Amino acid sequence: MDLVIGPLDLSAHVDEALSVQAAAFGLGPDEVAVRRQIVLRHMTQPGARALGATDGDRLVGFVYGMPNDRAQWWSTVVEPCLRAQGTDDWLDDSFVITELHVHPAHQNRGAGRALITRITDGAAEPRSILSAIDTESPARGLYRSLGYQDLARQVHFPSAPKPYAVMGATLPLRRRPAGR
């Protein structure tokens, strides 16, 4: 069955979305409970929006983001690392990809690419930023293929066991050349 990408009322489908994130990211019940509160709070922010990928009536992937705000927790953590690299101006006039997850059974089929390009195509900001675990991974490969570049590496979030990279791309995101 083909996946359908469309608007997602993330607040109403937060548990479904977090089950996808838990499967994709290996989260336990305690982490899911914390993230549930974060997602619900984020969705009250001005300009926050989400898209989902469905296979029939089942959510198999989602993305959400919002215009970046330097007062938000994520920005306050990454700002010193970006400033040290001379890239902290990326925190202004950017659309931040807060979460992007596709269920492992549906990965490597273009759902992540479709979700992130569709949500950033609707952004009023001229660029996008995100953070990803700082390792060579399929996710980082996807982001690079879309035009994201490293702005800072080895960024440590409180309670996260692994360091992250902050990446940025000008919008619109790069598309695959024809025939690929």
Side-chain angles (χ1 to χ4, degrees), residues 4-5 13 16 20-23 26 29 40 42 52-53 58 71 75 78 82 88 102 121 129-130 150 155 164:
V4 175
I5 308 291
H13 296 277
E16 251 183 295
V20 169
Q21 184 175 359
L40 293 173
H42 282 163
R58 193 175 48 147
S75 288
V78 304
L82 293 175
D88 63 308
V102 176
D121 281 352
I129 55 176
L130 56 79
D150 291 341
V155 177
Y164 279 70

Side-chain angles (χ1 to χ4, degrees), residues 36-167:
R36 186 177 198 282
Q37 298 309 312
I38 293 168
V39 169
L40 293 173
R41 185 176 68 244
H42 282 163
M43 294 313 296
T44 67
Q45 298 300 310
R49 51 200 173 80
L51 296 176
T54 55
D55 180 2
D57 59 358
R58 193 175 48 147
L59 186 69
V60 299
F62 74 100
V63 63
Y64 83 92
M66 63 196 85
N68 194 55
D69 178 347
R70 281 184 180 252
Q72 290 281 345
W73 177 85
W74 182 84
S75 288
T76 66
V77 173
V78 304
E79 192 270 337
C81 301
L82 293 175
R83 188 175 353 100
Q85 299 298 316
T87 57
D88 63 308
D89 62 319
W90 277 82
L91 293 173
D92 301 315
D93 221 11
S94 290
F95 186 83
V96 63
I97 300 299
T98 309
E99 300 288 350
L100 169 62
H101 299 287
V102 176
H103 192 280
H106 292 271
Q107 290 177 359
N108 301 311
R109 298 184 193 171
R113 177 180 301 276
L115 286 164
I116 195 170
T117 55
R118 182 92 57 90
I119 201 165
T120 57
D121 281 352
E125 297 75 20
R127 52 195 177 174
S128 173
I129 55 176
L130 56 79
S131 55
I133 294 175
D134 194 1
T135 186
E136 291 312 308
S137 65
R140 296 247 298 143
L142 169 64
Y143 301 145
R144 281 194 198 95
S145 77
L146 293 165
Y148 285 90
Q149 297 179 350
D150 291 341
L151 302 175
R153 302 211 36 207
Q154 297 296 302
V155 177
H156 295 273
F157 289 100
S159 78
K162 298 177 182 175
Y164 279 70
V166 177
M167 303 177 78

